[in-house]
Amino acid sequence: MPPPPPGMTLCRLPTAALGLPLSLPCLLSRPQLSLAARRARAVAARASSSSSSSPDSSFGSRMEESVKKTVADNPVVIYSKSWCSYSMEVKALFKRIGVQPHVIELDHLGAQGPQLQKVLERLTGQSTVPNVFIGMSGGKHVGGCTDTVKLHRKGELASMLSDLDIDINNS
């Protein structure tokens, strides 16, 4: 059997039960891209979407402006889903260090939640939650749970917050 096309993997299936060949392409699997590759893709998507003028793109532009304004107006912003364990971990971390972030629960926004998550992916290259930003006047995209916890363990999160005159508990 020839190798699968790029970005597609092979699945091993029980042939006796299904009467199928030994390997079939998994059409639902997606290759994992590095954060740098996702960000590069996001920049390319922004560049191509900025040239279109459909009503959807103006709605997306308004959502993008809303995200930028939220990040600019709040020192710590977490785009989250209330049921997500990684989101819960990041929110608990900020609570432990005595910082109250501005939290937007995407799953509480109805149809706008998935749309906002797509806008965040376009802006950051990150498709998952939590999506953490620190710093007013544009804010710095920190990343997700793993990125935020790493910054905390290295002491860099505390210094980023102290640059914003936010005192933290040393936990």
Side-chain angles (χ1 to χ4, degrees):
M1 175 177 266
M8 196 176 294
T9 58
L10 292 179
C11 296
R12 300 283 178 214
L13 299 173
T15 56
L18 300 175
L20 299 172
L22 286 176
S23 301
L24 292 176
C26 286
L27 300 177
L28 298 178
S29 65
R30 293 175 39 185
Q32 293 298 316
L33 299 174
S34 69
L35 184 58
R38 290 193 314 257
R39 286 185 175 148
R41 185 182 277 181
V43 168
R46 271 198 309 271
S48 69
S49 71
S50 65
S51 62
S52 79
S53 59
S54 70
D56 278 348
S57 72
S58 72
F59 178 72
S61 296
R62 285 193 307 268
M63 288 187 95
E64 190 172 310
E65 290 308 311
S66 171
V67 168
K68 289 177 181 177
K69 180 171 177 16
T70 300
V71 170
D73 291 348
N74 298 281
V76 180
V77 178
I78 302 173
Y79 288 89
S80 168
K81 290 185 180 172
S82 60
W83 50 263
C84 171
S85 61
Y86 295 108
S87 295
M88 288 183 232
E89 185 175 341
V90 165
K91 291 181 283 189
L93 167 65
F94 281 103
K95 184 177 183 176
R96 225 176 20 254
I97 64 173
V99 174
Q100 288 200 328
H102 181 76
V103 178
I104 294 142
E105 299 290 1
L106 297 177
D107 57 324
H108 293 177
L109 299 178
Q112 284 190 342
Q115 293 167 334
L116 188 53
Q117 191 163 0
K118 285 181 182 174
V119 167
L120 287 165
E121 181 177 11
R122 217 172 41 240
L123 288 171
T124 67
Q126 177 182 320
S127 62
T128 58
V129 294
N131 213 319
V132 181
F133 295 84
I134 296 179
M136 297 173 77
S137 302
K140 175 184 179 353
H141 178 245
V142 170
C145 179
T146 302
D147 304 307
T148 306
V149 169
K150 278 183 188 174
L151 285 175
H152 175 64
R153 287 186 180 145
K154 292 178 0 184
E156 294 175 23
L157 183 62
S159 89
M160 290 173 81
L161 294 169
S162 115
D163 288 348
L164 297 170
D165 292 326
I166 298 174
D167 293 324
I168 67 164
N169 302 329
N170 290 323
S171 301

